[in-house]
């Protein structure tokens, strides 16, 4: 399986990092060794002094596809999770300055924290729009540090799937991280991170 991630998908987050708003989704991929599950602790890697949390809604691909038309994209997922795209911001800044790929900053071991999946229908119980207007947030040590709503995405989940599948064949079990809202910031040893999606606690783990 692969972990496909979308960058710069929320306007307020683009502003906080002084990035340009992209015309097409910004795509990068993490290897399967990036997965962190089951509320296991996240260990800050030695090579970074500035690892940021990016809370993101994640969908799981349920059938194979490529060149998926926009109108059919919704048939390719029916479960959703909440995750954190951990980012070594200091490393990423150095790479960006040199125009180099972001992999070392984004794809390192355990950089893709992910909750258990829930059926999309659980979101529809909260709001009729379901995945298209789902509220989510991240608490750090009991304080809300990021909150967003999927209705703020520049490219919604279906548009992401249609676009990504022009370049990468999607397979059953692939994950798509759909971008982070504003409020990203550094984590430090001892922090407790709790994520909420549509009012439901999705993950709760510590940083070491
Ligand atoms: Zn991200």
């Amino acid at each position: 399986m692969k972990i496909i991630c979308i960058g710069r998908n929320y306007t307020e987050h683009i502003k906080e990092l002084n990035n340009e708003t992209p015309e097409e989704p910004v795509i990068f991929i993490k290897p399967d060794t990036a997965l962190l599950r089951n509320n296991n602790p996240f260990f800050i890697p030695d090579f970074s002094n500035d690892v940021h949390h990016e809370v993101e809604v994640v969908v799981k691909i349920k059938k194979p596809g490529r060149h998926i038309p926009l109108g059919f994209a919704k048939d390719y997922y029916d479960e959703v999770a909440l995750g954190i795209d951990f980012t070594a911001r200091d490393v990423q800044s150095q790479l960006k300055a040199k125009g180099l790929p972001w992999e070392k900053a984004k794809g390192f071991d355990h950089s893709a924290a992910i909750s258990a999946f829930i059926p999309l229908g659980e979101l529809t119980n909260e709001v009729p729009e379901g995945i298209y207007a789902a509220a989510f947030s991240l608490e750090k040590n009991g304080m809300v540090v990021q909150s967003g709503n999927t209705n703020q995405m520049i490219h919604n989940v279906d548009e992401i799937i249609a676009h990504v599948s022009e370049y990468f064949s999607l397979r059953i079990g692939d994950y798509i991280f759909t971008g982070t809202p504003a409020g990203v910031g550094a984590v430090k040893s001892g922090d407790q991170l709790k994520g909420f999606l549509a009012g439901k606690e999705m993950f709760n783990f510590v940083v070491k």
Side-chain angles (χ1 to χ4, degrees):
M1 53 76 66
K2 55 189 174 295
I3 305 164
I4 295 167
C5 303
I6 305 302
R8 303 180 192 175
N9 202 23
Y10 288 82
T11 302
E12 294 305 312
H13 171 60
I14 292 171
K15 285 184 192 163
E16 73 181 346
L17 293 186
N18 292 317
N19 284 321
E20 284 176 20
T21 301
E23 287 181 16
E24 294 185 339
V26 172
I27 301 171
F28 57 94
I29 290 184
K30 300 190 190 224
D32 58 4
T33 43
L35 277 178
L36 177 67
R37 295 178 187 275
N38 302 321
N39 286 326
N40 283 327
F42 172 76
F43 287 85
I44 296 175
D46 293 338
F47 56 76
S48 177
N49 294 310
D50 193 26
V51 173
H52 279 198
H53 53 77
E54 295 190 356
V55 69
E56 311 198 2
V57 170
V58 183
V59 294
K60 181 161 67 178
I61 296 300
K62 71 166 183 174
K63 65 175 185 173
R66 58 193 289 266
H67 298 292
I68 298 165
L70 181 58
F72 291 96
K74 64 180 183 335
D75 301 336
Y76 285 79
Y77 63 101
D78 60 7
E79 289 183 284
V80 62
L82 197 66
I84 296 186
D85 164 22
F86 282 109
T87 303
R89 195 71 72 199
D90 44 359
V91 176
Q92 188 194 29
S93 297
Q94 291 167 12
L95 295 169
K96 278 166 75 175
K98 294 178 186 163
L100 294 171
W102 298 353
E103 266 79 355
K104 286 200 278 188
K106 286 283 200 181
F108 58 86
D109 286 355
H110 303 145
S111 61
I114 194 162
S115 73
F117 280 80
I118 59 172
L120 280 183
E122 287 199 25
L123 300 182
T124 318
N125 290 341
E126 291 293 316
V127 285
E129 301 90 342
I131 186 82
Y132 306 109
F136 62 102
S137 62
L138 176 69
E139 280 184 12
K140 184 168 77 174
N141 306 324
M143 302 266 290
V144 177
V145 287
Q146 290 193 266
S147 67
N149 189 300
T150 55
N151 65 11
Q152 300 162 343
M153 289 181 178
I154 295 171
H155 305 284
N156 71 24
V157 174
D158 296 353
E159 291 166 344
I160 290 168
I161 286 173
H163 184 76
V164 164
S165 69
E166 287 180 41
Y167 298 85
F168 305 99
S169 292
L170 296 178
R171 290 185 172 152
I172 295 170
D174 287 347
Y175 297 136
I176 303 182
F177 278 63
T178 57
T180 197
V184 301
V187 294
K188 61 180 192 319
S189 181
D191 282 346
Q192 180 142 34
L193 299 174
K194 258 190 213 185
F196 297 86
L197 174 62
K200 182 187 168 80
E201 183 179 307
M202 299 294 286
F203 60 72
N204 179 3
F205 61 89
V206 294
V207 177
K208 291 192 172 179

